[in-house]
Amino acid sequence: MNKRKRKKWSARQSSKRGTVPGTPVFIGESRSEAVRIGSISYDRGDLVEKGALSLDDVHRPYRSEGVTWINVDGIHDLKVMDALGKRFGLHPLTIEDLMNTSQRPKAEVFPDYLFLVMKMMNYNDETNSVDVEHVSLILGEGYVLSFQEKEGDVFEPVRERLRASRGRLRGNGSDYLAYALMDAVVDHYFLSVERIGDVIEDMDDRLLSDPRSDDLQRIHELKRDVMTLRKAVWPLREAVGKLQKSDASFFGNDLDAFLRDLYDHTIQVIDMVESSRELLTGMHDTYLSSVSNRMNEVMKVLTVIATIFIPLTFIAGVYGMNFKYMPELDWRFSYPVVWIVMIAVGAGMVAYFRRKRWL
């Protein structure tokens, strides 16, 4: 996020000061595109997918069979979010958290629905950084609402499984759909961490032999990405653990094993993130040590050269004083003798340094 975007985000954050709790205010990167709403309604034998729905087409489903998944791309439009909140009976605090992209991951149980906040991660190969997006899920009786900052997500494999009627999705309720969406988000944590791990491994192999001037900046960028992942997955572990221990009936007993598996995945991601964090700390020290060692080698060579030239400079200085009575100046072979002496002194010092293994 560049400085310009950060300033806009901070301005939105400060605009919330002094407001009544539950007052919806969008906090995040400024956006102007229209909110896009799509839905997938399905049961074991049928599926209806609709895209680009208007606000008037969205209603809370009141049927005992089948599942409706409504996906909202864009949480910056207060009018749309307020209307959806009223139609689905969402608490004002839920709407507030939906529109706050700085909200940490969490799970909250309300009488009619379960509210879950997550951070969606995707490693961007073009910018060599992790893209973070605020994602919220609402699980109710027979429906799931998903809210995202913009179009494009990690849920396409879930959509493909629904369309192709593969796996358990079409034969289960909205609780399994919510689990599948959560699992898709966590799976992409693995991809992001593994991609960062590959970059760290390649850089770590090269740091000792060929440290570059831009390596330190890259290490700090990787540290920021790892910290972003850490801030996303640690609270998510708590949220998933809360879902396991909750007495609410939003998740059936048959999903206990799946929630435990999801919890285990978050633990694995945390372990990988912590390992990457420790590696980056070690790489930072390795880089500084490599640069320091290289500088020491350069200084050693320069010191040896200067030391060799000290006696040579002394000899040249003595015979460059131009005193009138210097008997050596009248010798016929004084010039070549001085050269021989200087070469011999220099060669002797080089041989001495090699014997001491200073060269």
Side-chain angles (χ1 to χ4, degrees), residues 313-326 328-329:
T313 304
F314 173 76
I315 295 173
V318 168
Y319 290 102
M321 291 187 292
N322 294 323
F323 287 116
K324 184 175 182 180
Y325 299 103
M326 294 184 69
E328 293 90 347
L329 297 179

Side-chain angles (χ1 to χ4, degrees), residues 196-211:
I196 291 175
D198 292 339
V199 175
I200 292 175
E201 184 178 349
D202 293 341
M203 185 178 293
D204 192 35
D205 293 339
R206 180 180 51 76
L207 274 181
L208 283 175
S209 59
D210 183 28

Side-chain angles (χ1 to χ4, degrees), residues 104-105 229-239 270 273-274:
R104 72 193 297 269
L229 281 163
R230 189 173 186 269
K231 290 178 180 179
V233 71
W234 270 96
L236 182 61
R237 183 193 67 165
E238 299 174 7
I270 289 174
V273 167
E274 293 301 324

Side-chain angles (χ1 to χ4, degrees), residues 151-279:
E151 290 189 46
D153 53 37
V154 300
F155 298 147
E156 195 57 33
V158 178
R159 296 187 182 95
E160 291 298 328
R161 284 157 57 192
L162 285 172
R163 293 166 185 150
S165 190
R166 295 198 309 266
R168 303 170 179 265
L169 270 173
R170 293 278 291 271
N172 282 274
S174 57
D175 54 350
Y176 192 87
L177 173 61
Y179 156 75
L181 297 177
M182 296 164 59
D183 187 58
V185 171
V186 173
D187 283 346
H188 268 71
Y189 288 173
F190 281 104
L191 297 178
S192 297
V193 175
E194 288 171 359
R195 188 69 184 87
I196 291 175
D198 292 339
V199 175
I200 292 175
E201 184 178 349
D202 293 341
M203 185 178 293
D204 192 35
D205 293 339
R206 180 180 51 76
L207 274 181
L208 283 175
S209 59
D210 183 28
R212 301 171 184 171
S213 58
D214 60 342
D215 282 342
L216 190 59
Q217 177 65 27
R218 184 66 181 126
I219 289 173
H220 282 290
E221 292 173 354
L222 290 170
K223 276 188 174 182
R224 284 198 298 268
D225 288 339
V226 169
M227 285 302 298
T228 300
L229 281 163
R230 189 173 186 269
K231 290 178 180 179
V233 71
W234 270 96
L236 182 61
R237 183 193 67 165
E238 299 174 7
V240 176
K242 182 177 180 179
L243 295 180
Q244 286 183 280
K245 301 173 184 177
S246 175
D247 294 331
S249 59
F250 292 104
F251 285 97
N253 294 331
D254 56 333
L255 285 182
D256 287 346
F258 294 99
L259 290 177
R260 285 196 302 271
D261 181 67
L262 184 63
Y263 184 83
D264 290 341
H265 286 177
T266 60
I267 297 297
Q268 292 177 36
V269 174
I270 289 174
D271 290 341
M272 295 171 67
V273 167
E274 293 301 324
S275 297
S276 297
R277 190 182 177 200
E278 293 176 4
L279 280 173

